[in-house]
Structure formats: C-alpha cells, structure tokens
Amino acid sequence: MTNQRPTIELRAVESSAVRESIDRAKHAERDGHWAEACAIYESLVRDPEANSNTRLAALRWLGRAYLEQGNRGAALDVLEAAVASADILGSPSAVAQALNVIGIVYQVSGDLDQAAAIYEAARAKAELAGDGARIAMIDQNLGTVAMIRGDLRGALEAFRLSHLGYQTLGMRNHEAQILNNIALAYMELGELADAETAYNLAAEAFEEEGDHARQLDLAVNKVQLYIAGRRFDEALAQCDKLLAVAGDEPAPWRGEVLRHMGVIARERGDFGQASEKLRKAEEHALGSGDLLLRADVAEQLAEVYWAQKRHREMLQSLNEAHSLYSQMKAQHRVAQVEKRNGALEARFLQMAKHWGDSIESKDRYTQGHCERVAFFACVLADSAGFNSRSLFWFRIGALLHDIGKIIVPTEVLNKPGKLTDDEWAIMKRHPEAGLELVADIDFPGDIIAIIRNHHERWDGTGYPDGLKGEEIPFAARILCVADVYDALTTTRSYRPGLTHARAAEIMRSSTGQFDPELLETFLEWAETADIPGRPTPQRQAIFASSGTD
Ligand SMILES: [Fe+2]
C-alpha cells in the first residue's frame, strides 16, 4: 500500500515557513513521532499562509497520522473534510486521493467491503481526472484487499493492472514495489517459481533506481521464498549476507532475518539453535515495539516446542501470540490480524487437544475423553450464552482440565479395583498439579477455574477447595457435569459404558454433586442429541455379554 505524496510540487509554490513545517512533519512521521506530526498538520490546515492545495494535502496527511495513532474516528472526520474541500476546489484527482486514504482507514480496521467500495469510487474519480498514477495506486490497494480476503487470483489481477499502469508511466520504483506484492501473492499460492521471477524483476528495478533500502527489504522476503522451497542453504546464505549488511546500517528487518534463521534451524531439527535465534528475534521485536513480529516469533517458538513435545512451553508461546494479536486488534490493526489469528486459534486448539491426549494415553479407558468433555461442556456453555471469544477459551480449558493427571502413576490411573488411601490422595492432587503446570501461562480466568475446580461439588464436599454452590466458578460447574456424563457413558476399567437413561438416573440421584439447573439443561439436551459412539441399550448388552475387565 503506497501513498504517493506530492510534496515536491507543493514545496515549489509555498513560503519557506510552510515548506519547513511540511519537512518537519515528514521527519516526525519517519521517526514514528505521530503526535508531533499531527500537531504540525493541524496547524498547517489552519495556516492562512499555506495555499489551498497544501491545506488540503495537510488534511489528508493528518488523516493518515490520526490513523497511525489508532484514532479512526478523527481520521475519518478530517478525510471526509478533505473530500469535501477537494470537491469545492473542483479537483477529481484530489477527491480520488482523499477517498483512497479513507479506503485505507477501512482496510486497516478490517472493513474490507467498505474499503473496496471506496477504492472503486476513488478509482472512478481518478479515471475522470485521467490520473494514471493514482489509478495504479488504487489498483494496488484493491489487490491488497483481495489478498487479505484470500482471493489470491483477484489480487494478482489487480496487482498486474497496477503494474501495467506504473510501467506505462515509467515509474520504475513503484513498478518494483508492485512486483514485490505479486511475488507475495504467488508465494501464498505456493507458486514459487513465479514468485521468484517476480522477485528477480523487482530486484532489477530497485537496483536501477539505486533504492538500496527496498533492495534489502526484498532480499528479506526472498529468504521466505527459499524456506518455502526448502532451499535452506540458500536461505541461510542470504540471512548471513543480510546480517553482515545490518551491522553497518539501521536495519529494521534484522529481527525478521533472525526469525527466518530460527525457522531454518527448526526445519533442520536443530531445536537449540532455533530457540536461540528466535529469542534474539524476540529481543529485536521488543526493542522496536513490533507487535506483529513478536507474535510471529512466539508462534514459531510454539512450533519448536511442539516438535519437542514440550506442551507447557508451547501453550505459553501460543498464548503470548494470541494476546499480542488482541493488542493489535485493540489498535485497529484488524485486517493484518484477523486471518492470522484464525489460524493461530486452530493451532492452539490442536495443541491443547494434543496435550490433553498425551495425558489420556496413560489411561487406556479414557481415550477421547477430553475432546468429548470439551464438546459436551461447550454445548452447555453455548446454551448459557457464552460468546464466541469466551467459548474459545472455555474449549481450551475443557481440553486441558485433567493435565494435572501427569503426576498420577499409570498403574493408579488404570487400576481396576478400589484405590488405596495413598493412591486416592495422589489422584485428588491432580487439579492443583494442573494448576501448577499452567501457573506461569497468563491464561484467562475460566481456564484456571476449570482446571482447579472441576471436582468441586454443589454441596461443598468436593475438592480441592471445598467450594459450595455458586462459589464454584460457573465454568467449573459446567465442566463437572460434562466430565461425569462422559465418564458414565464410556467404558471404564470397572464397567461398560452406560446408556443415557442410566447415566441420567445416576446423575439426578447424586444430589449435592451438580448445579441442578445446569444438570437439567444438559440432560435434556443429551437425551435427544446425536452423540457419536454413545452406548445404545443394544451396544451395552453386547459389552455386558462379552465381558470387560
Ligand atoms: Fe479431573
């Protein structure tokens, strides 16, 4: 996404004081001092010395600067004023410019339909003005919207139009930037040879233009291409070259290169090296305040832990990535985040399930227990009105509710007969042991409550805290119903799985164990629900006659 600014033309007709203000503001922008840039643009907008075109441009720049500060409402206000002023000045090209920035505001806040509609309107104005450069820029933005939507072919088409426009105008540098976007789209499509061709053409153009900074950015992107093609030697050579350059000049991409090196090491099975490089990348991201890179590094670290079966650390890293994405959302950087977060949440659930499974695998009678409990518990939580966000965390908690069983010896877990007092004491420690495992992961409250309190009883005789009635966290009360129902309806070491009717009878007669309202809601649902693998009376008869041990 580019935003070409006609600074040079404006400077030529402005007084030196106005020119100096513009320079100061641009400087502040480059250094990330957005508040300072805003203050200068605000005074420029009202400066009687400045001509109308400058004041109009200042409105647009101000909109951009407000957006960078996360102030979407203020950005839209001044940009709408810019559209109105451009209209009064009778300049369709300036209207197109202002509309384009409004499109960017909607795009970064994730309202892609609105963004695309506004870009189209901007494009029509730019066509009216015969402003080829603006048309090419808007096509580029339309391509970016298509890319975020996952419409990669649509993105390529828009980028190609943009490329053609810049090519016709001889705008080599812009052409190269678009080629970089084209390469990224091909990368996402997995068409690596086409991506490489586009990168090479872009590199040539940047070289001709002497744009060293962008050449280096491109070289960083190319590392990703090599990694995707499993060309690790080339990827690593490129990283080394880049780090050598980074020693001599400011290199905001240094963290990204280190992240790539971490990924290469992980793919080669060198987990020690992978962690080290990723930790260094994290330091850079922390130093530069780059949340996206931090999230990315945390996700990659989670994959390193995953490969090593270090479940606790893996979930810790995933949780960190997730909370970073939430911070970015709060800053209205939604478009960047939405897609990535979706993928992250899927991975999160997969990993939580894997950790849960690894505990279950110690207990030959509880295979699939965590997943079924999570399913039952989510049905109940959903009917209790949990929103999708709370449900996500609730599901994670349900999958992990018994992780503390790691401390219980396999022979105790699988013991067919009654447990001794000592064995029972160990068994009863599993909620607290689970809590210790996740103590340093900053999980939301529901997860902690589920792990700690899923064996509390409504009458206060449960463990570990002996909580009573509504003192027991709601999420834990739900889990308790789901947990016991699944335990009763699946085969255990001491008996076959029970039918729904029998399980419901036992649960209803177990007065004092469950939240009565939740129990009834659940049993009502479970009576008619189509639950895969549930014992029917016939199936139970077969179990009974064949005998189980
Ligand atoms: Fe448990």
Side-chain angles (χ1 to χ4, degrees), residues 519-535:
L519 179 65
E520 276 319 305
T521 309
F522 180 76
L523 291 178
E524 223 169 85
W525 168 81
E527 192 177 353
T528 53
D530 182 19
I531 301 166
R534 174 156 81 178

Side-chain angles (χ1 to χ4, degrees), residues 406-450:
I406 189 93
I407 62 154
V408 184
T410 311
E411 56 278 16
V412 176
L413 281 177
N414 288 316
K415 188 171 176 178
K418 206 167 174 282
L419 299 182
T420 66
D421 287 350
D422 285 349
E423 287 165 344
W424 186 233
I426 298 176
M427 188 65 127
K428 277 176 84 171
R429 251 199 46 75
H430 81 267
E432 285 161 298
L435 200 65
E436 283 158 22
L437 279 172
V438 298
D440 56 353
I441 309 181
D442 187 21
F443 274 144
D446 269 359
I447 295 190
I448 305 297
I450 287 172

Side-chain angles (χ1 to χ4, degrees), residues 401-402 405 430-431 454-455 463 483:
H401 75 279
D402 264 346
K405 281 193 178 165
H430 81 267
H454 68 275
H455 287 291
Y463 61 92
D483 194 17

Side-chain angles (χ1 to χ4, degrees), residues 190-302:
E191 294 170 16
L192 303 183
D194 287 331
E196 190 161 13
T197 307
Y199 274 139
N200 291 340
L201 289 171
E204 258 173 48
F206 284 138
E207 171 91 50
E208 275 171 40
E209 291 280 294
D211 190 338
H212 189 51
R214 287 219 164 85
Q215 259 180 302
L216 291 173
D217 287 343
L218 195 75
V220 177
N221 287 350
K222 221 171 159 186
V223 176
Q224 209 162 356
L225 171 87
Y226 293 141
I227 292 176
R230 305 194 70 75
R231 292 154 66 182
F232 297 133
D233 288 337
E234 285 162 274
L236 207 54
Q238 182 98 329
C239 288
D240 288 336
K241 225 159 68 186
L242 280 160
L243 285 188
V245 175
D248 306 328
E249 52 188 284
W253 38 259
R254 185 200 269 266
E256 209 170 318
V257 171
L258 288 163
R259 178 180 64 94
H260 285 321
M261 292 174 101
V263 172
I264 296 166
R266 188 193 65 218
E267 290 298 310
R268 288 180 152 167
D270 185 349
F271 301 130
Q273 173 88 339
S275 298
E276 189 198 316
K277 296 291 180 199
L278 290 170
R279 291 279 173 218
K280 279 193 183 156
E282 190 184 26
E283 270 171 42
H284 274 272
L286 275 167
S288 60
D290 186 340
L291 294 182
L292 193 60
L293 179 60
R294 269 178 69 195
D296 219 344
V297 169
E299 269 192 73
Q300 297 298 345
L301 263 174

